[in-house]
Amino acid sequence: MPSSRSQSQAQYSLKALEIIQRTNELLAKGGYNGFSYADIAALVDVRKASIHHHFPAKADLVKATVAVHREATRHGLQSLSLLDIDPLERLVAYSRFWAECIQASNPPICICALLAAELPAIPAEVADEVKAHFNELHAWIASSMEEGQAKGAMRLSDSPSAEASMFMASIHGAMLSARAVGDASVFWQIAKLATDRLRKA
């Protein structure tokens, strides 16, 4: 992901960005209800009142955190699309990115994967950001699959949209499976199966 400040990050002060980063880490550990402003205050070394100054409510903070995550993801996907590799290898590169993140626990899981499981119980404004993330990711995967099929480099058993849904479910399910068994390597085992099934015989 890009190291320079993105458009979404530019609207925040450095302290607010530190708060968002810590929120991302806490979300990855325990989901929406797994942390409080007191937890963030201890990590960032600020008073809770200072956090409320930047983000009046927890929903505001988590919405901002997901928005920053979405923009980083968007830039990352755009970078993959610019690589001189075929569409299948693009999906492999996406999967390997997450394999390396999960192995290093940095981050240990996509925060949107966790928040998606909490959709019925989280504020609507946060849910909307999470849904938008998955809609954008689905569109990118489906586009890669459509391109791969057109170039004869990928074998699809269903429409690009349906296959993209299956691939996305495999990747995010693999994240949860790896966490459930406490073994980061489980992610790549599942992700590799998800990409290998797309290879032309």
Side-chain angles (χ1 to χ4, degrees):
M1 300 301 172
S3 57
S4 58
R5 294 182 69 181
S6 66
Q7 182 178 355
S8 180
Q9 292 175 321
Q11 64 183 297
Y12 299 112
S13 67
L14 291 178
K15 182 58 68 176
L17 285 174
E18 185 181 359
I19 291 169
I20 286 173
Q21 178 57 39
R22 293 301 189 179
T23 300
N24 195 310
E25 294 166 5
L26 291 169
L27 282 170
K29 287 181 179 178
Y32 188 88
N33 294 310
F35 73 96
S36 67
Y37 272 26
D39 297 317
I40 298 171
L43 291 171
V44 182
D45 194 26
V46 296
R47 293 179 299 114
K48 286 193 291 183
S50 297
I51 303 174
H52 282 288
H53 170 73
H54 293 289
F55 307 100
K58 186 175 184 178
D60 300 316
L61 172 56
V62 177
K63 178 183 177 182
T65 302
V66 175
V68 169
H69 172 80
R70 280 182 62 200
E71 186 165 22
T73 300
R74 195 178 302 123
H75 284 300
L77 297 180
Q78 288 171 350
S79 296
L80 285 178
S81 295
L82 293 174
L83 293 178
D84 186 23
I85 55 177
D86 70 50
L88 178 56
E89 294 311 310
R90 195 182 300 156
L91 296 180
V92 171
Y94 169 77
S95 302
R96 283 196 179 280
F97 167 80
W98 275 112
E100 291 168 5
C101 286
I102 293 166
Q103 187 66 48
S105 195
N106 183 33
I109 197 168
C110 171
I111 59 170
C112 287
L114 279 185
L115 290 172
E118 299 182 281
L119 278 183
I122 62 178
E125 57 266 44
V126 177
D128 287 345
E129 285 287 338
V130 173
K131 291 174 185 176
H133 165 80
F134 282 108
N135 286 338
E136 289 178 354
L137 179 58
H138 179 274
W140 180 82
I141 295 170
S143 175
S144 294
M145 289 183 166
E146 187 173 5
E147 181 186 347
Q149 186 179 48
K151 291 181 174 178
M154 201 179 293
R155 179 187 61 194
L156 303 184
S157 300
D158 210 319
S159 68
S161 179
E163 288 282 356
S165 294
M166 182 179 295
F167 181 81
M168 197 162 66
S170 297
I171 293 300
H172 291 91
M175 293 179 183
L176 296 174
S177 294
R179 169 165 286 195
V181 300
D183 184 354
S185 68
V186 168
F187 172 82
W188 180 246
Q189 292 170 19
I190 299 171
K192 187 174 185 301
L193 288 172
T195 51
D196 282 351
R197 66 177 291 274
L198 299 170
R199 295 187 185 278
K200 278 205 102 162

